[in-house]
């Protein structure tokens, strides 16, 4: 009797759990997106802008840790700091002084690097208008159910962001690019974070729906860097991203923190500048948008109790090599430096040039005819 | 719906009880399930047995060792059966195969360590995959095992006959280091032979470079007509083939291309074991890029399957050459070890590799006078390298005894201090000069050169002499040598002799 009672308790407990599973599964898909993408861009070149690369890599690290795979991250770094000859510790990029945290890691995949980080490439990645031979890792293959995180850092001003000290992108161009993305149904919701001086000017002109933006400083303010490391000799991070990284380190894939917590990151006391945000274009309430909606990744999970029958292994048809062996000629390696063959090669057809001195002779003839016809008195104008 | 839920919970109950019973049973039984590990000639069974071991965490230690021994035996059995069946495949019989056909691909890994005269150490990794398949005929290859799929698709899509790509950082100093195994220029270098069937080579070349830039995370998409050439006499194909029409050859180089972890990561992912087992475990970027020279390359070419050369196999060779230069000032003694070079030691060979070996070049020191390699090994091997016959100490990672009792291999190479003495006192600006004293044993009939590098510091404007155009004078070096001589310090100075005879 006791056993029966225990069994019935167990049964009710399990049935209660299964109800919970269904509820959780329902919540899973309420935010409306089915996949996550991230576009992380560092726009600065030169060793003293080490901190911008460290900014981008720390966001990359957090995003990867929370579940977005490399195939869904487009990472653009305008210069190489890790293997730079001035780096006293090669293959590392640190975010905390005393070399506590190597954000470069051992498993990084940079999609656009060096000279490839240009305004044109950035806009092409966003709008999807890339040449057909572009590999998949360099494309933003998002659809209308994608939540995209876009992070920009570098040197900026009122209404523009500088790319590699040679060109700029303006806030109008950026807003238009987002509108193109909206019209082509390339995102479900988009979170835009920018850490530059006067960063808030970059999101002033947005007009497409479902955009949320954060910036590290208001118009007229500079974003400041955090701490230098004396061994490396440069500032390692910018303040806003440093505190953003600290905030994200506490987030795990099942975390329920929402966007309102993100807006509180780096108040003026820590950042010296005033971080700003813009949510008027965002259709949902920011309090209902989870951090993991943008920084983490949705994994499509189907719970099933059915069994699947595996078919028998496919028998590979063994080709009949025997007859072919006897008929084929044997292969051989090519002579690596056949000197006689090279010397007696037929020279390639060069473009035809007139024989030497031909042009000079032609001009002399023309001059002679001219002076013969018009007389010698014109000669004095020349000599 | 309720009935559905009830049946589900009932199923869960039954499953729980089954689990409980099975755990209770496993604690009593011997590892009878591991008999499956022996007697199967499929290398995938090795991973199967390790999975089994993971599921039974309560196995006693003795039983664990037995299972491991059986696992090693299984690989040896597998090797033997492969060897015996090799000569039979050419005969036209219906051989009684097991249900699994003999694999046509083969993976070998090796590491060559060569101590260099200048005290640096040169490590060269080579990973080779051989696959007897045909990318060029109509039927698409879809079943990839050891050969990486990304490269296989590149070969078939772009009709590639040969592909050689290398990424290098640093210069190879031939005067100090000798000849490398495979020379490569700094930056990125790519040369490709296309098949005769390609109609528009330039277009295919452009697409190929774009695809490779995605695979290797490098800016190879900057390769265009401005930095591509079509060599007419050199760069003959290294693989088999009869026709060499140079219209199908393209060569490009990007000297400014940086090599960093983002290039190493996809390179490591092409290996069958990745960087999880075997020699690739040593490839840690923090140590590899802290070196004088680093070069990683991928070479794909068709080769003869055997000496008869009737069928061709595709060979994928991944090489990584690195030269470390840790200088230890003071005594002439220097010590190298795998841990010091790579910050890792080896614990096992790649299970998918048919051979996994380490060679240490002892040609310059056959008697073990200059340096000593430990743990000692009795296996020696000789090979012709670049026209030179060289001797190597061999460590076979597929043999369990290589790892010894500690289950890990950390090679040490100790340079023996040959009764030398070095005293070096570096200078301090404006305080004291350099002092270098060396006791050196000069070999007979030879020329010995001693060079010292120094930096010139900037002078303060008050320190300039009135005639700075002279520059600075450097004192002469002094050599004290022991020369056999009869003249010595004669204590008996009363004899009448000229003064110079007592010098």
């Amino acid at each position: 009797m006791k056993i029966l009672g225990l069994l019935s308790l167990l049964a009710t407990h399990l049935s209660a759990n299964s109800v919970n599973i269904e509820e959780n599964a329902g919540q899973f898909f309420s935010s409306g997106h089915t996949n996550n993408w991230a576009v992380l861009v560092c726009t600065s070149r030169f060793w003293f802008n080490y901190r911008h690369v460290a900014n981008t890599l720390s966001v990359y690290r957090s995003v990867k840790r929370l579940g977005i795979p490399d195939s869904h991250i487009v990472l653009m770094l305008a210069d190489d700091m890790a293997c730079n000859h001035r780096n006293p510790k090669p293959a590392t990029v640190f975010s905390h002084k005393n070399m506590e945290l190597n954000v470069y890691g051992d498993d990084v995949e940079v999609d656009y690097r060096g000279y490839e980080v240009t305004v044109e490439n950035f806009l092409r990645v966003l709008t999807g208008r890339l040449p057909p031979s572009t590999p998949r890792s360099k494309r933003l293959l998002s659809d209308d159910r994608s939540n995209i995180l876009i992070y920009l850092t570098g040197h900026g001003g009122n209404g523009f962001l500088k790319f590699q000290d040679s060109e700029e992108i303006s806030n109008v161009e950026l807003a238009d690019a987002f509108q193109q993305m909206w019209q082509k149904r390339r995102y479900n919701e988009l979170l835009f974070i920018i850490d530059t001086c006067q960063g808030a000017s970059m999101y002033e002109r947005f007009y497409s729906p479902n955009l949320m933006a954060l910036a590290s400083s208001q118009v007229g303010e500079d974003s400041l860097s955090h701490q230098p490391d004396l061994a490396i000799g440069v500032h390692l991070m910018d303040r806003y991203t440093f505190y953003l990284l600290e905030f994200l380190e506490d987030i795990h894939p099942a975390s329920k923190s929402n966007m309102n917590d993100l807006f509180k990151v780096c108040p003026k006391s820590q950042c010296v500048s005033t971080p700003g945000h813009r949510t008027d274009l965002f259709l949902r309430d920011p309090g209902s948008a989870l951090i993991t909606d943008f920084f983490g990744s949705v994994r499509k999970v189907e719970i099933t109790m059915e069994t699947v029958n595996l078919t028998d292994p496919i028998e590979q048809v063994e080709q009949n090599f025997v007859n072919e062996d006897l008929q084929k000629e044997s292969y051989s390696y090519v002579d690596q430096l056949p000197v006689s063959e090279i010397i007696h090669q037929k020279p390639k057809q060069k473009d035809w040039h007139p024989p030497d001195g031909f042009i000079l002779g032609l001009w002399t003839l023309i001059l002679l005819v001219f002076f013969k016809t018009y007389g010698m008195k014109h000669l004095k104008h020349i000599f | 719906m309720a009935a559905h839920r009830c049946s589900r919970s009932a199923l869960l109950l039954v499953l729980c009880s089954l689990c409980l019973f099975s755990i209770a049973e496993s604690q009593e039984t011997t590892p009878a399930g591991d008999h499956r590990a022996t007697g199967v000639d499929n290398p995938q069974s090795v991973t199967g047995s390790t999975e089994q071991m993971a599921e039974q965490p309560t196995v006693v230690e003795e039983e664990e060792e037995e299972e491991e021994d059986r696992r090693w035996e299984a690989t040896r059995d597998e090797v033997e059966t492969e060897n015996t069946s090799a000569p039979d495949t050419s005969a036209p019989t219906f051989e009684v195969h097991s249900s699994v056909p003999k694999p046509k691909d083969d993976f070998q890994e090796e590491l060559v360590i060569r101590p260099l005269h200048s005290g640096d150490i040169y490590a060269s990794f080579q990973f080779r995959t051989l696959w007897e398949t045909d990318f060029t005929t109509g039927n698409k290859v879809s079943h990839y095992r050891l050969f990486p799929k990304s490269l296989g698709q590149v070969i078939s899509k772009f009709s590639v006959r040969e592909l050689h790509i290398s990424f290098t950082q640093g210069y190879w100093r031939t005067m100090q280091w000798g000849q490398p195994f495979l020379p490569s220029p700094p930056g990125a270098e790519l040369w490709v032979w296309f098949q005769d069937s390609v109609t528009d080579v330039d277009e295919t070349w452009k697409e190929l470079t774009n695809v490779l830039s995605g695979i290797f995370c490098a800016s190879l998409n900057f390769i265009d007509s401005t930095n591509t050439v079509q060599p007419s006499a050199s760069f003959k194909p290294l693989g088999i083939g009869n026709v060499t029409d140079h219209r199908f050859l393209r060569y490009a180089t990007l000297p400014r291309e940086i090599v960093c972890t983002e290039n190493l990561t996809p390179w490591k992912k092409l290996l069958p074991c990745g960087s999880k087992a075997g020699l690739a475990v040593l490839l840690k970027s923090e140590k590899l890029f802290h070196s004088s020279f680093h070069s990683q390359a991928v070479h794909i070419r068709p080769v003869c399957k055997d000496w008869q050369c009737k069928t061709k196999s595709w060979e994928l060779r991944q090489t990584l050459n690195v030269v470390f230069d840790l200088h230890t000032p003071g005594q002439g003694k220097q010590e190298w070890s795998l841990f010091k070079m790579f910050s890792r030691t080896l614990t096992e060979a790649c299970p998918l590799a048919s051979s996994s070996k380490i060679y240490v070049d002892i040609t310059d020191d056959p008697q073990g006078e200059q340096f000593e390699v430990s743990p000692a090994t009795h296996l020696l091997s000789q090979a012709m390298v670049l026209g030179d016959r060289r001797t190597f100490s061999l460590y076979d990672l597929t043999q369990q005894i290589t790892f010894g009792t500690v289950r890990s291999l950390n090679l040490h190479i100790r340079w023996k201090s040959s009764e030398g003495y070095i005293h070096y006192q570096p200078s301090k600006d404006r305080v004291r000069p350099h002092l270098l004293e060396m006791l050196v044993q000069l070999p007979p009939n030879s020329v010995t050169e001693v060079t010292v590098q120094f930096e010139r510091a900037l002078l303060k404007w008050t320190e300039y002499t009135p005639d700075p155009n002279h520059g600075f004078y450097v004192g002469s070096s002094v050599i004290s040598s022991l020369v056999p001589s009869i003249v010595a310090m004669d204590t008996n100075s009363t004899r009448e002799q000229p003064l110079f005879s007592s010098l």
Side-chain angles (χ1 to χ4, degrees):
Chain A
M1 272 304 291
K2 271 195 202 166
I3 299 170
L4 263 174
L6 273 169
L7 278 172
S8 57
L9 262 174
L10 202 59
T12 45
H13 182 65
L14 283 167
S15 55
N17 269 343
S18 55
V19 172
N20 271 347
I21 291 171
E22 281 197 10
E23 271 182 16
N24 285 341
Q27 241 179 28
F28 228 34
F29 296 108
S30 66
S31 60
H33 70 283
T34 58
N35 57 80
N36 285 82
W37 287 82
V39 179
L40 311 172
V41 185
C42 159
T43 59
S44 305
R45 177 165 277 275
F46 306 121
W47 173 246
F48 50 81
N49 289 320
Y50 181 103
R51 59 189 188 279
H52 295 141
V53 173
N55 288 350
T56 320
L57 286 173
S58 49
V59 178
Y60 172 75
R61 174 204 145 79
S62 309
V63 147
K64 243 177 114 157
R65 195 176 51 83
L66 291 172
I68 304 187
D70 270 313
S71 53
H72 284 226
I73 303 178
V74 178
L75 179 62
M76 304 171 77
L77 298 179
D79 202 358
D80 168 57
M81 300 300 164
C83 287
N84 196 313
H85 294 294
R86 290 174 76 163
N87 193 345
K89 292 215 109 206
T92 58
V93 174
F94 293 106
S95 60
H96 289 63
K97 66 172 183 216
N98 300 326
M99 305 185 190
E100 281 167 20
L101 181 58
N102 174 17
V103 287
Y104 194 58
D106 217 13
D107 194 29
V108 61
E109 284 183 23
V110 182
D111 302 304
Y112 287 85
R113 59 183 201 162
Y115 296 135
E116 288 174 285
V117 179
T118 56
V119 173
E120 183 188 338
N121 281 348
F122 175 58
L123 291 176
R124 281 188 184 277
V125 164
L126 285 184
T127 53
R129 288 153 66 174
L130 290 158
S133 54
T134 317
R136 284 180 73 106
S137 57
K138 287 186 167 179
R139 287 181 188 260
L140 178 63
L141 298 164
S142 56
D143 51 31
D144 63 323
R145 282 341 226 149
S146 309
N147 273 14
I148 309 183
L149 165 72
I150 298 188
Y151 177 83
L152 293 174
T153 183
H155 288 289
N158 190 354
F160 67 90
L161 171 62
K162 190 171 71 160
F163 266 70
Q164 295 216 39
D165 231 16
S166 65
E167 48 181 2
E168 298 156 0
I169 184 173
S170 67
N171 49 6
V172 177
E173 282 175 349
L174 196 55
D176 286 342
F178 287 154
Q179 178 65 7
Q180 268 197 53
M181 286 175 78
W182 175 251
Q183 286 180 354
K184 288 172 74 167
R185 298 277 179 270
R186 278 172 69 77
Y187 70 88
N188 174 38
E189 286 169 350
L190 198 144
L191 175 63
F192 175 78
I193 305 182
I194 184 161
D195 187 351
T196 63
C197 302
Q198 308 194 53
S201 63
M202 289 305 282
Y203 61 63
E204 270 173 1
R205 300 293 198 116
F206 289 173
Y207 55 94
S208 319
N210 270 345
L211 292 179
M212 195 189 312
L214 278 111
S216 59
S217 57
Q218 301 294 332
V219 174
E221 283 182 345
D222 285 339
S223 286
L224 302 178
S225 57
H226 191 237
Q227 11 159 270
D229 181 301
L230 296 174
I232 301 179
V234 282
H235 284 262
L236 295 181
M237 285 274 270
D238 277 330
R239 281 175 188 253
Y240 181 72
T241 314
F242 181 80
Y243 291 107
L244 179 68
L245 173 66
E246 269 193 9
F247 171 74
L248 289 174
E249 289 284 299
D250 290 332
I251 307 283
H252 53 89
S255 165
K256 293 282 171 211
S257 318
N258 56 40
M259 284 296 152
N260 287 330
D261 303 325
L262 193 62
F263 297 150
K264 292 189 202 128
V265 163
C266 211
K268 196 175 165 98
S269 52
Q270 283 177 329
C271 256
V272 185
S273 57
T274 322
H277 55 89
R278 181 175 174 182
T279 54
D280 56 313
L281 294 165
F282 200 68
L283 298 175
R284 279 195 293 155
D285 171 37
S288 69
L290 302 176
I291 303 276
T292 49
D293 278 353
F294 292 100
F295 286 88
S297 182
V298 172
R299 284 195 177 87
K300 196 147 186 212
V301 175
E302 270 184 36
I303 306 171
T304 173
M305 300 298 250
E306 298 168 3
T307 53
V308 179
N309 282 328
L310 295 172
T311 54
D312 289 324
I314 301 167
E315 292 275 333
Q316 272 196 337
V317 179
E318 287 277 342
Q319 286 181 3
N320 197 357
F321 279 121
V322 181
N323 292 329
E324 291 184 27
D325 268 351
L326 297 169
Q327 286 163 8
K328 258 196 265 191
E329 327 167 337
S330 55
Y331 294 102
S332 59
Y333 287 96
V334 179
D335 198 0
Q336 283 298 299
L337 207 62
V339 180
S340 52
E341 224 183 83
I342 293 170
I343 292 173
H344 294 111
Q345 253 180 4
K346 228 198 273 188
K348 279 211 202 115
Q349 279 185 340
K350 288 192 212 145
D351 301 324
W352 182 82
H353 291 295
D356 290 337
F358 178 74
I359 304 286
L360 194 64
L362 194 65
W363 273 109
T364 321
L365 191 66
I366 292 170
L367 275 171
L368 268 173
V369 169
F370 172 74
F371 289 119
K372 198 101 197 273
T373 343
Y374 294 105
M376 298 298 275
K377 61 180 191 282
H378 290 279
L379 264 179
K380 72 169 189 276
H381 292 294
I382 303 173
F383 294 110
Chain B
M1 267 309 280
H4 191 57
R5 240 179 266 147
C6 273
S7 63
R8 236 194 294 169
S9 50
L11 259 168
L12 278 166
L13 257 176
V14 171
L15 276 168
C16 286
S17 46
L18 271 173
C19 288
L20 281 166
F21 280 130
S22 63
I23 290 171
E25 254 186 80
S26 69
Q27 283 176 346
E28 298 164 5
T29 55
T30 51
D34 289 287
H35 281 297
R36 266 185 258 156
T38 56
V40 181
D41 55 348
N42 191 335
Q44 283 156 355
S45 66
V46 175
T47 48
S49 63
T50 50
E51 273 171 38
Q52 271 232 315
M53 275 160 57
E55 276 175 302
Q56 299 173 357
T58 55
V59 172
V60 184
E61 268 187 29
E62 289 167 28
E63 292 174 340
E64 229 179 51
E65 275 190 58
E66 270 180 69
E67 287 163 20
E68 271 204 45
D69 287 338
R70 243 178 254 126
R71 179 154 52 103
W72 284 109
E73 274 169 37
T75 49
R76 256 183 248 135
D77 281 343
E78 172 210 342
V79 169
E80 280 165 19
T81 50
E82 274 200 39
N83 284 339
T84 50
S85 61
D88 291 338
T89 45
S90 55
T93 56
F94 289 114
E95 214 178 4
V96 182
H97 291 287
S98 55
S99 59
V100 182
K102 184 168 99 71
K104 293 193 185 154
D105 48 5
D106 173 65
F107 174 67
Q108 294 172 322
E109 52 178 20
E110 75 177 26
L111 164 63
V112 179
I113 299 180
R114 193 203 293 179
L116 300 167
H117 287 294
S118 51
D120 307 331
I121 197 149
Y122 171 36
S124 168
F125 290 84
Q126 279 217 32
F127 301 94
R128 183 177 92 146
T129 308
L130 272 174
W131 194 19
E132 191 196 322
T133 184
D134 206 350
F135 287 113
T136 48
T137 54
N139 27 326
K140 270 175 73 167
V141 180
S142 53
H143 185 61
Y144 289 87
R145 198 172 77 102
L146 297 176
F147 201 93
K149 184 173 178 184
S150 49
L151 291 181
Q153 289 180 325
V154 162
I155 297 173
S156 38
K157 181 164 184 212
F158 298 109
S159 307
V160 167
R161 180 172 153 191
E162 256 185 56
L163 188 143
H164 301 269
I165 184 168
S166 75
F167 297 94
T168 312
Q169 175 211 68
Y171 292 104
W172 181 269
R173 295 168 208 278
T174 316
M175 298 297 283
Q176 293 165 336
W177 300 340
Q179 288 290 331
F181 283 117
L182 252 154
S184 47
E189 186 199 46
L190 169 67
W191 58 281
V192 175
W193 273 94
F194 290 97
Q195 305 276 1
D196 312 2
S197 53
V198 174
T199 43
D200 189 352
V201 184
D202 289 316
E203 185 63 35
T204 321
W205 171 248
K206 187 84 193 114
E207 288 178 25
L208 175 66
T209 49
N210 275 314
V211 166
L212 288 175
S213 83
I215 294 179
F216 291 107
C217 286
S219 320
L220 297 174
N221 46 320
F222 284 135
I223 290 177
D224 55 12
S225 61
T226 57
N227 46 27
T228 307
V229 288
Q230 195 181 318
S232 60
S234 47
F235 289 101
K236 296 272 184 217
L238 292 171
I240 56 180
N242 294 328
V243 183
T244 58
D245 186 353
H246 281 258
R247 279 187 299 132
F248 296 101
L249 167 65
R250 292 288 184 275
Y251 173 89
T253 172
L254 291 171
R256 216 197 147 168
E257 194 63 21
I258 308 152
V259 190
C260 209
T261 312
E262 64 246 24
N263 306 112
L264 185 64
T265 309
W267 189 94
K268 283 197 285 191
K269 285 186 183 162
L270 297 173
L271 298 170
C273 281
S275 56
K276 308 267 188 309
L279 290 172
V281 159
L282 299 174
L283 300 174
K284 289 292 159 198
S285 55
E286 285 191 16
K287 286 287 184 175
L288 280 180
F289 291 104
H290 202 36
S291 57
S292 311
F293 178 82
H294 170 101
S295 169
Q296 62 195 56
V298 172
H299 301 279
I300 303 176
R301 59 177 185 149
V303 293
C304 296
K305 182 186 147 193
D306 48 27
W307 64 271
Q308 285 172 326
C309 215
K310 298 275 192 195
T311 40
K312 70 176 180 186
S313 290
W314 283 88
E315 178 195 73
L316 164 69
R317 229 184 243 263
Q318 287 179 253
T319 61
L320 196 142
N321 295 320
V322 62
V323 176
F324 293 105
D325 65 340
L326 284 173
H327 288 297
T328 50
Q331 273 78 52
K333 211 185 207 176
Q334 281 161 9
E335 190 194 308
W336 288 103
S337 70
L338 281 184
F339 188 78
K340 204 172 178 190
M341 288 194 274
F342 303 109
S343 70
R344 287 286 184 286
T345 58
L346 290 165
T347 49
E348 56 166 347
C350 172
L352 299 168
S354 61
S355 105
S356 176
K357 298 192 166 84
I358 300 184
Y359 295 86
V360 182
D361 192 336
I362 54 170
T363 319
D364 299 326
D365 183 40
Q367 268 76 44
E369 287 165 349
Q370 287 179 35
F371 56 83
E372 170 203 357
V373 184
S374 70
T377 178
H378 304 291
L379 296 168
L380 287 177
S381 140
Q382 292 219 332
M384 289 291 287
V385 175
L386 299 165
D388 220 5
R389 177 153 283 266
R390 302 194 81 89
T391 322
F392 298 92
S393 290
L394 172 59
Y395 294 85
D396 192 348
L397 295 179
T398 50
Q399 307 293 325
Q400 186 62 355
I401 56 172
T402 320
F403 297 105
T405 44
V406 293
R407 306 268 177 103
S408 93
L409 175 65
N410 185 12
L411 279 176
H412 286 270
I413 299 173
R414 263 181 225 98
W415 287 87
K416 292 187 180 160
S417 55
S418 52
E419 297 161 23
Y421 170 80
I422 291 187
H423 172 228
Y424 175 59
Q425 191 185 61
S427 75
K428 239 182 182 173
D429 254 358
R430 302 178 179 87
V431 172
R432 60 165 195 253
H434 291 279
L435 169 64
L436 174 64
E437 269 185 273
M438 294 197 308
L439 177 67
V440 183
Q441 214 170 27
L442 298 175
N445 219 9
S446 64
V447 175
T448 306
E449 215 178 80
V450 177
T451 53
V452 176
Q453 270 185 330
F454 60 94
E455 275 181 11
R456 285 173 282 194
L458 291 174
L459 287 181
K460 298 181 193 168
W461 70 281
T462 46
E463 290 171 341
Y464 276 79
T465 56
D467 55 350
N469 52 305
H470 257 265
F472 277 101
Y473 284 79
V474 180
S476 317
S477 340
V478 176
I479 298 182
S480 319
S481 60
L482 203 60
V483 178
S485 160
I486 321 163
V487 176
M489 281 171 275
D490 203 355
T491 47
N492 198 353
S493 57
T494 51
R495 265 189 268 163
E496 278 198 17
Q497 283 196 353
L499 283 174
F500 63 78
S501 63
S502 57
L503 278 170

